Amino acid sequence: MMRKFKDDPYILLTSLGLFISLAMVAFIVGLIMVRGLGFFWPRQVLLVELKDGTRYLGEVWETETVSEKQPDGTIKTDHKIQLKIGNRDLYGLDFTWVEEKDVVRREHPPAATVFERLEYGNFYGMMRSLQVGEQIYRDEVERHAREALKIAHRLEKKIEAKQKALNELTAPLNRLQRELSLLKISDEAGQPRVVQKIQRLEREEENLKRRIAEKYRRLNEQLLQLNQEKQKIFLQVQAASGETRTILLADVVRFYQPNRMSRWQKIQLYFSKLGEFLTAAPRESNTEGGVFPAIFGTVMMVLLMSIAVVPFGVLAAIYLNEYAKQGVVVRLIRLSVNNLAGVPSIVFGIFGLGFFIYVVGGSLDQLFFSDKLPEPTLGTGGILWASLTLALLTLPVVVVATEEGILAVPRANKEGALALGATRWQMIRQIVLPNAMPGILTGLILAISRGAGEVAPLMITGVVKLAPTLPIDGTFPFLHLDRKFMHLGFHIYDVGFQSPNVEAAKPMVYTTALLLILIVIFLNLLAIFIRNRLKKKYKASAF
Amino acid sequence: MKRKRSTDIRRKFERRDRVARRIIALGGYGVIISIAAILFFLFYQSLPLSFGAKIKEWFSWTPGDRSDQILLVGVDQYQEVVYFLDQHGEVEFLRMKDRHILLRDSLPLEPGEKIFSADRGSLLRDVFAAGTDKGRILIGEIHLQPRFEGSVRRIVPSLSVEQTFQAETPGDSLPAHIEKVSFRRTEDGLELLAWVNHAGHLFLRIYDPEEETTYRYDLSEQLGNLPITTLTMNYSGETLIVASEQGDLFWFDLLDPEEVVLVDHWRASGVAITAVSYLLGNNAIVVGDAQGEVSEWFPTKNPLQKTKFTLIRRFKPHRNPVTLIAASPRNRNFLTVDSKGEAHLNYATTDATQLEFLPSDYPLQAVAFAPKSNGIVAADSRHRLGVFRLDNPHPETTLHTLFGKVWYEGYQKPAFVWQSTGGSDEFEPKLSLVPLIFGTFKGTLYAMFFSVPLAILAAIYVSQFAPQWMSRIVKPIVEILAAFPSVVIGFLAGLYFAPLFEKHLVQFLIFSVALPVVFLVGVVIWKQIPEETRTRFPRGVELGFVLLVVLAAFSVADLLAFPVRETFFAGDLKQWLYTHWGVVYDQRNSLVVGFALGFAVIPIIFTIAEDALSNVPKSLSSAALALGASRWQTVRRVVLPAAAGGIFAGVMLGFGRAIGETMIVLMATGNTPILDLSPFNGFRAMSACIAVEIPEAPVGGTLYRVLFLTALLLFLFTFIVNTLASLVGDKLRKKYARF
């Protein structure tokens, strides 16, 4: 009995290890959850007035308590509030610290309005008047402004459509002009053949110009008119410091008055913001708006990666288990798989950069895109190369999971098939592959989750902070493997560490991080679920 | 008939089977090929670093039978046209591909007047000054202008003479020979001329275009009438170095043209100094003497804060007196030539003599680098011109510069430094991998300190003591945690934990002390619970206990933080660390990285260690328990030794992951490549360095290849670690397979 008595401290110690590990996990996941999910919840807007008469209007972002020992031995405690005051065009900074002891008045004015703008971040202030066209509203500004906002957005859409039409109209001309200017500065500009070509192109240019002139003029006029209309819908908004600003409603994404919103309205707003986050493009150097291009890029990339890695990994796993004889080759393959799993991701990245991009891509450029050189087409980072790099990186995951699936196929089934006269390939196709499918699927899912979370190799093989175009669009050849793309993981790094206004960008980073880990956790849970089903299935059918 | 069809089908299937077999085998071998390709490619990219320099003479020319001395040679940037200036002031431009003299021009000399000495005034332009035996100095410039006509490039040569003047001859009415002239024209147009006449007088003349003033000095007296052999100035016109026949060097400061002062003089050699030249960067000089010794000097501060030229390194000596030194306009290469015409190509940073060659059978009179430093022009005493193609892509790296201490310009002593790019073209790349390797291992070590105990303790608890339901929950959680994107951990570390640690540093320190103390106290209290009650506790109640312990330790830390900070650390721990220990606290430091990286590594170690522990055959532990061992004794004496290999493998794999982890170290450290074990500052790891610098590195350049070498090293580190782990794992499996 004495001995058992001595046991306890050690057992307690081991449990401490587990507890701290789990506590950290819980803390970190909880932190991301709270910060990530809380970002869209409209906060109360606070108006503070300081002793010196300064007034601030903004959201309470953080509070801090600092205790300090004074020279005379007394302890002084200060409370500070961090306010997000927005109005970057007025104050220059989004945030300010206010000392609690300086505050003489604090209230939540019901009319305080938050404007989310396309530029310069949020604006906090009180609406004074609204002008739509020639009409000026001074009463019930908010209600009218809501209507006006819709009108402004409709106008904006029209302008975009016209602009697009205009671009499409001039696109052939631009192409022609580009070709011409390239020819004129090329080395062979003096040769008669080229001179002829230039003259022909110049004639074509003239023709084209003439042909589109009328339409061009009309579109331009319409654009001008719409733009003028747009300029006439604006609000006069007064900031806390007293200045009045004119805010064009076309530049406003949305506005709301959190202090008089009901819970239900807040929930609506919350989901509308969440929807924007998931479906819209980023604004303001990625610190506002949505992450749709990043989600799209991530999905595209892991799809391409899967196309490359799954066949490769499955073949390797089948070879290992069904064909290869135990010996040097198998041991070499296993060693390779183990080491591929252990090689740092950045090494894959630098390999992808040096080999795929510069060697393979560079050579392909020489062969097929030599007319565009020295501007590289495939010889620069792009979604294809990034996917191939990640395919190499995730290969071991697929191999190991597939092997597990193959090993779970009962020997009796396989030998039965062979005994009935099936060739080995027939046996593999009819017996092994269908039964190993859950294993392959597990491998695929794990590879996708790894690929979605990986950043280091991507940032040197084709991920960019802001891709102007998606890798898929309506112009031929629809799928653009040479394009650079955005990625959720890189988005986190870029917005959190490279953006000029990190403090304002933080919520965005937390939300993106939450999205990313939700994706990864979901995929992993799915993999675990499938694997457990696999285990059960074969436990039941084992004989 | 039917039979035939069935064999046909059979054959078809067999053919398919063969094809499938081949494709599948390809998949299998593909894995080996992939890893071999990565390894090979990394080797292939980093190997050229060790190739060294190659030189080849590809053009030589003798203009008839002339023996007048050549004073200056040069070539254009495309190496199409060479020029030379001879002692009669003749300048000839020669197109090399058809040996056609493009232009002959001459300096306006008086009849019979001869040039004694000439000097190029800039590393980037062909401006020069020539001093004659009639005491005149001429300043001119040679232009080798490329013109493009369509795709055809033509070099258009010309010579312009800008200035001629009669040198001062104080107290001596006869015009004096100009024995040796040194000339500089800086980018701002500042013109400096220093010359020695036949009587050994040293004159200096500075023209400041902004003030439109000329300053004239006679510096002879400050030299103590020592006979002067040679002199040079740096290309930014700030210093004048004069060498004497006794081996002394005199250092004049020209920074203030109104007051030129002799800063220092010292004996640099036991014999006469025969050649002195500044290197690119305007900081270091190379000195060659009559015994053939070659040494590099640059100013450093001695302990008394006095700046002095210091002997940095010696290069391979010549067998004969050094006569010429030419500096490369692109890097720290320089060429030394001795009186027998033997030339050494040295690189200053690496103290390597890259090449030794004999450009000519006769002594050389003038040498120059091509503007892109990819060629050398030399003229010998027989008036023969030789042009050499120099293939020297990576002079900056040797084994020593990559892994050893190097004394870089501007440093007070040799050091390990990584600084790959600088602001100007004159930057000296510092490519020591030591700070990066150190950083990688520093981060890894801190991470292992943090994660190994926690992970192993947790694994022991889950596999041995925890109730079934708990391990069923914990294991998948940890597995998912292993897939946690590192960029998220890195971002939290950098943006949340780093400021948090900084703000609550005292709390964290107290907590790390308080936790064990509170834990011990807790154990004592725990023991007060009567034995019978305790044995009736359900399994897993330990977690509740440690929850209380951790909470208690937390409150202790929070309560004590303020008084401790005020009494011991004068109200500010960071300040206190700095004043008492000289430790600078960076917000993103090794503690933060250790925590974050450890967090990333825990799941790996835990999973493998837990597997190893629970795979220890039940028969072993049951036997121990049956023999009367307690639960802990069984774990300690039976289970742990049996699972040791697996645990080791887990630790190794965790180690491997920590070495290669990129995003966490990139985001959670300041990425400063310093060598300092202090936990309160950051580091730069190899992986992060690759990620940051490879996008900017020119393809095929030295930095590019050095980064590939870094990747190769990383690959090899992890290869060794992984192989070790799998070997140990295999051995273990064999050992316990029999139970």
Side-chain angles (χ1 to χ4, degrees):
Chain A
M1 273 302 129
M2 256 335 263
R3 279 205 180 133
K4 273 219 166 127
F5 192 79
K6 269 187 181 164
D7 269 10
D8 286 4
Y10 298 108
I11 298 173
L12 288 175
L13 186 66
T14 57
S15 73
L16 184 67
L18 179 68
F19 179 81
I20 293 180
S21 309
L22 288 182
M24 271 181 350
V25 177
F27 181 71
I28 284 179
V29 173
L31 181 76
I32 295 176
M33 287 278 187
V34 169
R35 300 240 167 166
L37 288 175
F39 173 41
F40 299 126
W41 189 254
R43 303 175 191 218
Q44 296 284 90
V45 176
L46 177 74
L47 177 74
V48 292
E49 195 175 318
L50 306 186
K51 273 181 201 157
D52 58 358
T54 330
R55 284 149 59 96
Y56 290 118
L57 185 66
E59 297 169 16
V60 177
W61 211 252
E62 219 175 292
T63 53
E64 198 183 68
T65 310
V66 184
S67 307
E68 226 171 273
K69 202 173 191 176
Q70 298 297 310
D72 57 8
T74 55
I75 294 165
K76 200 181 94 192
T77 308
D78 282 331
H79 299 281
K80 291 201 290 187
I81 320 169
Q82 192 185 25
L83 280 179
K84 181 178 180 181
I85 51 170
N87 306 15
R88 208 179 301 154
D89 39 347
L90 276 180
Y91 309 139
L93 285 169
D94 290 84
F95 293 90
T96 188
W97 282 97
V98 174
E99 300 233 356
E100 194 104 353
K101 62 176 191 320
D102 295 338
V103 175
V104 288
R105 194 163 67 93
R106 45 192 302 166
E107 57 176 316
H108 294 103
T113 317
V114 183
F115 295 89
E116 282 180 20
R117 297 181 294 177
L118 286 174
E119 271 172 29
Y120 302 118
N122 286 0
F123 193 94
Y124 299 89
M126 318 280 182
M127 288 190 261
R128 290 297 173 229
S129 68
L130 167 75
Q131 182 164 352
V132 182
E134 305 306 323
Q135 193 154 10
I136 298 175
Y137 300 95
R138 295 195 188 281
D139 302 314
E140 293 197 319
V141 180
E142 201 235 332
R143 190 170 58 80
H144 293 298
R146 266 184 215 293
E147 295 302 315
L149 187 65
K150 276 181 201 150
I151 299 171
H153 283 173
R154 265 202 297 279
L155 261 178
E156 193 66 44
K157 274 217 182 83
K158 266 191 209 159
I159 291 176
E160 262 169 40
K162 293 278 175 217
Q163 190 66 51
K164 204 176 159 213
L166 199 66
N167 287 346
E168 273 167 18
L169 189 69
T170 54
L173 188 66
N174 287 339
R175 256 202 308 278
L176 206 64
Q177 280 170 341
R178 188 182 127 86
E179 197 180 344
L180 254 175
S181 61
L182 272 180
L183 269 180
K184 278 179 186 163
I185 58 162
S186 80
D187 294 345
E188 303 158 359
Q191 289 176 11
R193 186 177 52 83
V194 181
V195 172
Q196 264 175 13
K197 195 174 176 191
I198 290 179
Q199 281 166 353
R200 186 170 53 80
L201 287 177
E202 273 171 346
R203 272 199 306 278
E204 247 176 72
E205 189 192 350
E206 282 305 306
N207 285 340
L208 201 61
K209 265 189 189 163
R210 218 171 316 123
R211 219 165 340 133
I212 62 172
E214 175 57 22
K215 213 172 175 191
Y216 183 83
R217 198 185 52 77
R218 218 172 47 231
L219 272 174
N220 241 347
E221 241 166 50
Q222 286 170 342
L223 253 178
L224 203 69
Q225 200 193 340
L226 285 170
N227 267 322
Q228 276 170 356
E229 235 174 283
K230 181 178 103 174
Q231 299 290 332
K232 280 187 192 149
I233 308 178
F234 57 83
L235 276 167
Q236 295 285 350
V237 183
Q238 193 177 23
S241 44
E243 294 106 322
T244 309
R245 274 277 142 143
T246 307
I247 296 181
L248 272 190
L249 275 173
D251 294 341
V252 172
V253 180
R254 65 166 74 78
F255 65 85
Y256 51 93
Q257 302 182 320
N259 293 352
R260 57 161 73 133
M261 279 166 88
S262 68
R263 181 138 305 193
W264 175 240
Q265 282 171 321
K266 283 188 179 176
I267 290 172
Q268 273 181 321
L269 183 64
Y270 182 87
F271 280 101
S272 124
K273 281 179 157 193
L274 188 66
E276 191 203 355
F277 175 73
L278 292 176
T279 57
R283 288 183 273 122
E284 298 233 23
S285 61
N286 295 355
T287 60
E288 305 264 342
V291 290
F292 178 72
I295 299 177
F296 190 86
T298 311
V299 170
M300 267 298 289
M301 193 268 302
V302 292
L303 278 183
L304 286 174
M305 175 200 82
S306 311
I307 292 172
V309 73
V310 169
F312 190 7
V314 171
L315 286 183
I318 294 176
Y319 181 75
L320 268 176
N321 289 287
E322 300 296 334
Y323 282 100
K325 297 188 182 63
Q326 293 298 316
V328 183
V329 175
V330 168
R331 275 174 58 192
L332 255 180
I333 295 179
R334 289 205 190 281
L335 186 78
S336 305
V337 170
N338 275 343
N339 275 300
L340 269 182
V343 169
S345 56
I346 189 72
V347 175
F348 285 102
I350 197 172
F351 174 76
L353 177 80
F355 183 72
F356 288 137
I357 295 180
Y358 290 140
V359 175
V360 181
S363 320
L364 288 177
D365 269 1
Q366 295 285 342
L367 282 178
F368 301 115
F369 300 99
S370 52
D371 51 329
K372 284 193 192 159
L373 285 174
E375 197 172 301
T377 310
L378 288 168
T380 176
I383 192 162
L384 174 66
W385 304 134
S387 311
L388 288 183
T389 307
L390 278 202
L392 266 186
L393 182 99
T394 48
L395 180 64
V397 180
V398 177
V399 173
V400 170
T402 309
E403 272 203 275
E404 232 170 76
I406 292 175
L407 285 175
V409 180
R411 218 184 151 72
N413 293 13
K414 294 198 280 188
E415 282 172 0
L418 288 177
L420 289 173
T423 62
R424 191 162 276 268
W425 169 236
Q426 281 173 321
M427 182 274 284
I428 289 170
R429 241 188 56 183
Q430 309 290 345
I431 307 292
V432 176
L433 279 183
N435 286 312
M437 221 46 204
I440 298 173
L441 215 54
T442 315
L444 171 65
I445 293 167
L446 289 179
I448 287 178
S449 112
R450 177 90 198 268
E454 198 60 70
V455 177
L458 295 178
M459 58 196 258
I460 56 181
T461 55
V463 161
V464 284
K465 60 190 298 164
L466 193 64
T469 45
L470 295 177
I472 290 185
D473 62 16
T475 57
F476 185 79
F478 310 118
L479 174 63
H480 304 273
L481 292 179
D482 56 320
R483 282 198 184 155
K484 297 189 189 305
F485 63 108
M486 291 172 72
H487 180 268
L488 281 175
F490 183 73
H491 201 73
I492 296 174
Y493 168 68
D494 176 64
V495 178
F497 287 78
Q498 316 276 54
S499 98
N501 194 351
V502 173
E503 191 61 32
K506 261 188 195 172
M508 190 72 181
V509 188
Y510 277 105
T511 319
T512 316
L514 177 64
L515 181 65
L516 184 61
I517 64 169
L518 284 182
I519 292 174
V520 169
I521 289 177
F522 170 74
L523 287 172
N524 274 277
L525 283 177
L526 198 65
I528 290 174
F529 176 72
I530 291 176
R531 203 170 43 195
N532 286 346
R533 290 247 333 236
L534 175 84
K535 273 185 193 157
K536 267 189 204 131
K537 188 176 162 195
Y538 286 104
K539 242 181 213 156
S541 73
F543 46 90
Chain B
M1 196 63 198
K2 201 180 173 194
R3 196 184 181 93
K4 188 165 190 301
R5 190 184 299 153
S6 95
T7 47
D8 270 358
I9 291 170
R10 183 88 220 156
R11 219 171 270 154
K12 198 172 98 191
F13 283 140
E14 270 165 9
R15 202 163 52 236
R16 277 191 195 166
D17 191 46
R18 274 199 302 279
V19 172
R21 185 187 186 93
R22 259 176 228 142
I23 293 175
I24 290 172
L26 203 68
Y29 286 104
V31 182
I32 308 181
I33 293 171
S34 314
I35 190 119
I38 294 177
L39 189 63
F40 171 77
F41 190 74
L42 295 180
F43 257 119
Y44 173 77
Q45 287 293 345
S46 42
L47 208 59
L49 285 176
S50 64
F51 281 169
K54 282 197 273 305
I55 198 158
K56 207 176 93 197
E57 178 165 14
W58 66 284
F59 178 82
S60 78
W61 185 68
T62 320
D65 188 26
R66 283 158 62 172
S67 58
D68 29 5
Q69 199 189 350
I70 290 182
L71 292 151
L72 218 56
V73 287
V75 66
D76 71 296
Q77 55 175 321
Y78 303 104
Q79 299 195 38
E80 286 183 13
V81 174
V82 280
Y83 71 84
F84 60 88
L85 164 72
D86 72 10
Q87 71 189 86
H88 302 299
E90 299 281 332
V91 180
E92 285 183 28
F93 297 90
L94 174 73
R95 188 160 69 206
M96 286 186 273
K97 70 174 174 208
D98 53 3
R99 295 169 181 262
H100 173 65
I101 301 274
L102 286 175
L103 178 72
R104 254 196 201 105
D105 206 340
S106 58
L107 296 176
L109 297 187
E110 289 161 13
E113 189 176 7
K114 272 188 189 167
I115 297 172
F116 257 49
S117 160
D119 189 28
R120 256 182 80 153
S122 160
L123 279 173
L124 305 170
R125 300 171 65 183
D126 291 302
V127 289
F128 66 92
T132 71
D133 59 350
K134 298 251 169 92
R136 291 202 311 155
I137 292 176
L138 300 95
I139 295 175
E141 179 162 8
I142 283 162
H143 302 273
L144 295 161
Q145 205 69 43
R147 291 262 166 79
F148 291 91
E149 279 157 24
S151 63
V152 186
R153 183 180 56 222
R154 220 154 51 82
I155 304 292
V156 182
S158 63
L159 164 73
S160 59
V161 179
E162 295 166 4
Q163 222 182 333
T164 54
F165 63 87
Q166 190 73 39
E168 297 90 338
T169 47
D172 196 344
S173 55
L174 278 170
H177 290 251
I178 307 289
E179 288 281 348
K180 202 88 189 174
V181 65
S182 175
F183 169 60
R184 295 294 178 249
R185 180 186 287 161
T186 68
E187 278 169 38
D188 314 328
L190 193 70
E191 273 184 1
L192 304 102
L193 265 170
W195 68 92
V196 185
N197 67 12
H198 69 285
H201 285 288
L202 171 66
F203 296 97
L204 174 69
R205 184 184 157 116
I206 304 175
Y207 173 70
D208 184 347
E210 270 174 40
E211 312 261 317
E212 294 190 17
T213 329
T214 307
Y215 305 89
R216 294 184 178 83
Y217 292 94
D218 179 353
L219 300 171
S220 317
E221 293 198 352
Q222 304 200 36
L223 300 176
N225 291 324
L226 282 170
I228 296 168
T229 50
T230 182
L231 73 171
T232 188
M233 290 183 282
N234 74 358
Y235 292 94
S236 48
E238 290 157 354
T239 56
L240 165 66
I241 304 285
V242 182
S244 83
E245 218 170 277
Q246 276 74 36
D248 295 290
L249 285 176
F250 293 83
W251 168 24
F252 291 94
D253 183 1
L254 316 181
L255 206 53
D256 180 5
E258 289 181 27
E259 202 190 336
V260 168
V261 283
L262 175 66
V263 184
D264 194 14
H265 64 97
W266 69 99
R267 178 137 300 183
S269 167
V271 293
I273 290 171
T274 46
V276 175
S277 172
Y278 260 98
L279 294 180
L280 183 76
N282 293 319
N283 199 10
I285 54 170
V286 174
V287 177
D289 68 16
Q291 280 179 340
E293 294 281 345
V294 180
S295 53
E296 185 196 357
W297 302 67
F298 54 72
T300 59
K301 280 206 170 76
N302 65 8
L304 299 167
Q305 291 299 305
K306 199 161 176 278
T307 311
K308 270 181 174 303
F309 266 89
T310 313
L311 173 64
I312 305 302
R313 46 179 78 92
R314 289 184 184 281
F315 297 88
K316 191 171 180 192
H318 285 265
R319 282 186 289 270
N320 301 294
V322 177
T323 54
L324 292 169
I325 299 176
S328 153
R330 281 290 173 98
N331 53 32
R332 294 307 193 266
N333 260 132
F334 63 93
L335 195 72
T336 52
V337 180
D338 66 23
S339 57
K340 288 273 163 63
E342 194 178 300
H344 288 182
L345 179 72
N346 302 300
Y347 195 80
T349 312
T350 59
D351 60 29
T353 298
Q354 295 186 291
L355 285 172
E356 291 170 52
F357 63 107
L358 205 62
S360 162
D361 299 334
Y362 302 99
L364 296 189
Q365 290 177 337
V367 287
F369 275 91
K372 285 182 177 167
S373 202
N374 52 358
I376 290 169
V377 197
D380 69 12
S381 58
R382 293 294 174 92
H383 221 271
R384 195 183 73 97
L385 276 176
V387 182
F388 298 83
R389 192 148 279 166
L390 178 61
D391 180 21
N392 191 15
H394 309 296
E396 304 93 335
T397 49
T398 59
L399 219 53
H400 180 232
T401 51
L402 288 174
F403 297 104
K405 274 190 178 177
V406 176
W407 199 337
Y408 297 104
E409 283 175 29
Y411 283 69
Q412 304 312 314
K413 56 175 190 279
F416 299 110
V417 185
W418 173 272
Q419 195 186 355
S420 57
T421 44
S424 73
D425 295 341
E426 298 176 352
F427 175 75
E428 183 181 31
K430 303 167 185 70
L431 301 170
S432 173
L433 292 181
V434 175
L436 306 183
I437 297 173
F438 175 86
T440 292
F441 281 99
K442 181 182 177 187
T444 309
L445 220 64
Y446 277 101
M448 297 314 271
F449 273 141
F450 178 70
S451 60
V452 169
L454 280 181
I456 293 180
L457 285 178
I460 294 174
Y461 182 74
V462 170
S463 65
Q464 305 298 322
F465 305 122
Q468 277 282 310
W469 60 267
M470 196 185 284
S471 52
R472 263 210 305 277
I473 298 173
V474 168
K475 279 165 79 173
I477 289 183
V478 175
E479 210 169 295
I480 290 175
L481 198 64
F484 219 75
S486 61
V487 67
V488 174
I489 303 175
F491 132 71
L492 280 180
L495 288 187
Y496 183 81
F497 287 107
L500 190 77
F501 276 29
E502 188 183 27
K503 209 159 128 191
H504 302 293
L505 188 59
V506 183
Q507 276 93 327
F508 280 106
L509 288 184
I510 299 175
F511 180 73
S512 55
V513 179
L515 187 64
V517 175
V518 175
F519 180 75
L520 288 180
V521 174
V523 168
V524 173
I525 297 172
W526 175 266
K527 283 187 177 174
Q528 302 307 313
I529 304 171
E531 184 76 34
E532 298 83 60
T533 332
R534 238 187 305 151
T535 42
R536 250 177 278 138
F537 280 154
R539 276 184 153 205
V541 79
E542 296 91 350
L543 280 187
F545 168 77
V546 291
L547 168 70
L548 292 179
V549 166
V550 171
L551 282 181
F554 233 90
S555 347
V556 168
D558 205 40
L559 276 177
L560 286 182
F562 185 68
V564 166
R565 195 179 63 198
E566 293 303 328
T567 29
F568 295 108
F569 304 124
D572 190 348
L573 179 56
K574 275 184 349 188
Q575 191 60 38
W576 186 86
L577 277 172
Y578 185 69
T579 44
H580 284 75
W581 298 88
V583 175
V584 179
Y585 184 92
D586 293 334
Q587 194 190 52
R588 292 179 186 167
N589 56 42
S590 308
L591 282 183
V592 179
V593 182
F595 172 74
L597 207 51
F599 184 78
V601 167
I602 282 178
I604 295 171
I605 305 180
F606 174 85
T607 314
I608 297 171
E610 206 274 341
D611 275 351
L613 284 164
S614 25
N615 286 344
V616 172
K618 262 273 166 301
S619 53
L620 288 182
S621 49
S622 306
L625 288 170
L627 287 171
S630 71
R631 266 164 49 177
W632 176 250
Q633 276 177 323
T634 313
V635 170
R636 168 83 187 69
R637 302 283 160 123
V638 178
V639 180
L640 272 184
I647 297 175
F648 175 76
V651 171
M652 279 285 113
L653 287 180
F655 190 74
R657 162 99 194 255
I659 284 181
E661 180 49 57
T662 309
M663 290 322 282
I664 294 179
V665 286
L666 182 61
M667 295 161 97
T669 72
N671 281 316
T672 37
I674 46 173
L675 278 167
D676 189 346
L677 261 176
S678 156
F680 299 119
N681 55 30
F683 54 85
R684 171 176 282 205
M686 298 157 85
S687 52
C689 187
I690 296 174
V692 172
E693 302 206 7
I694 194 84
E696 312 293 326
V699 180
T702 305
L703 176 60
Y704 183 79
R705 298 204 188 284
V706 169
L707 290 174
F708 268 91
L709 180 67
T710 315
L712 181 65
L713 285 180
L714 263 183
F715 185 102
L716 293 179
F717 283 157
T718 45
F719 188 90
I720 292 168
V721 166
N722 286 319
T723 312
L724 208 63
S726 68
L727 282 182
V728 172
D730 281 352
K731 213 171 199 173
L732 188 85
R733 230 172 284 138
K734 276 184 197 136
K735 189 174 167 192
Y736 286 98
R738 59 199 160 94
F739 289 106

